[in-house]
Amino acid sequence: MNNRLKFVFALLLSLIGWSVPALANEAALYDPAPPPGSAYLRLINANAKGAISLSLDGGAFVSSPEASASDYIVVPQGAKSAGFGGKDLTVTLGAGKFYSIVVSSGQGRLVEDPILKTRAKALLRIYNLSSKTALSLKTGDGKVAIIEGVAAAAAADREVSAATLKLAVFEGANKLAETPEVAIKRGFAYSVLAIGSGDGVKLVWVKSATRLR
């Protein structure tokens, strides 16, 4: 084998050697596929005090500390009886869809969450679980509005680019609360929970995660 062929052969081996770990790293970004007919459900505890446990069809399902959200749990689609704090809520879950059961002031409701449609972006969603009638999510310095005019008990979302920054929630021009510096990465979904009343509104940063039971 002449020197030119040796060089080409070595280059091919080098490229193959680099491509295998690159493919493995790319595959690590994706969650394993759930069983067919599955839905995704999580618990958002918007109460200022105390953890909440959620049951599903009479069995223990998931718990969440105060002012927090659980992981999404993969569950079979269909009608379910959700129980929390001695109360029951009948919900219907569609295959391939994401949902949150939001519990606030002893009341619960089912919210359908969006699905990230591209790995080139991140999904950012804000839940207005505060007493404020309208909130806007902006960069910490207030210069860039990301999501505006989210009504009380409502949620809104937007696909965004990767960034590392602080986020803040505003009522008009008044900044109410700010997150620490957070890293937003492409291919992931994040939630901002605005919880509290009066001057006590705070922001909770949640990186969405999915797990099988």
Side-chain angles (χ1 to χ4, degrees):
M1 184 182 295
N2 60 38
N3 289 337
R4 181 177 178 81
L5 287 176
K6 287 180 180 179
F7 174 78
V8 172
F9 185 65
L11 180 61
L12 287 173
L13 287 179
S14 174
L15 290 174
I16 292 172
W18 279 104
S19 65
V20 172
L23 289 173
N25 289 338
E26 183 71 14
L29 293 175
Y30 297 86
D31 292 326
S38 295
Y40 304 82
L41 179 65
R42 70 176 175 180
L43 170 64
I44 294 179
N45 179 1
N47 290 332
K49 294 182 179 180
I52 291 177
S53 293
L54 180 72
S55 65
L56 208 62
D57 290 338
F61 182 64
V62 72
S63 295
S64 177
E66 60 192 48
S68 187
S70 73
D71 294 343
Y72 285 101
I73 308 297
V74 179
V75 296
Q77 65 177 322
K80 311 289 179 185
S81 176
F84 56 92
K87 297 184 179 181
D88 292 310
L89 178 69
T90 300
V91 298
T92 301
L93 310 177
K97 295 185 176 183
F98 286 74
Y99 299 91
S100 296
I101 290 182
V102 180
V103 178
S104 179
S105 300
Q107 302 299 315
R109 57 191 173 89
L110 182 70
V111 177
E112 183 175 343
D113 293 328
I115 297 174
L116 178 60
K117 297 178 180 178
T118 172
R119 292 278 176 173
K121 294 281 189 176
L123 184 65
L124 188 58
R125 183 166 173 82
I126 179 173
Y127 297 77
N128 183 358
L129 306 176
S130 73
S131 62
K132 304 299 183 179
T133 56
L135 294 177
S136 295
L137 184 68
K138 301 182 181 182
T139 54
D141 58 12
K143 294 181 179 179
V144 179
I146 303 170
I147 303 172
E148 296 187 277
V150 184
D157 55 86
R158 182 177 178 180
E159 289 183 354
V160 297
S161 299
T164 299
L165 74 173
K166 292 182 179 181
L167 297 170
V169 68
F170 286 75
E171 183 183 34
N174 183 30
K175 181 194 286 191
L176 301 178
E178 184 179 70
T179 69
E181 189 171 78
V182 295
I184 299 173
K185 299 181 180 180
R186 67 181 183 88
F188 292 92
Y190 304 89
S191 299
V192 178
L193 313 180
I195 297 173
S197 59
D199 294 331
V201 173
K202 68 176 182 178
L203 292 186
V204 180
W205 176 254
V206 179
K207 179 182 177 181
S208 299
T210 304
R211 61 186 174 91
L212 299 171
R213 288 190 66 83

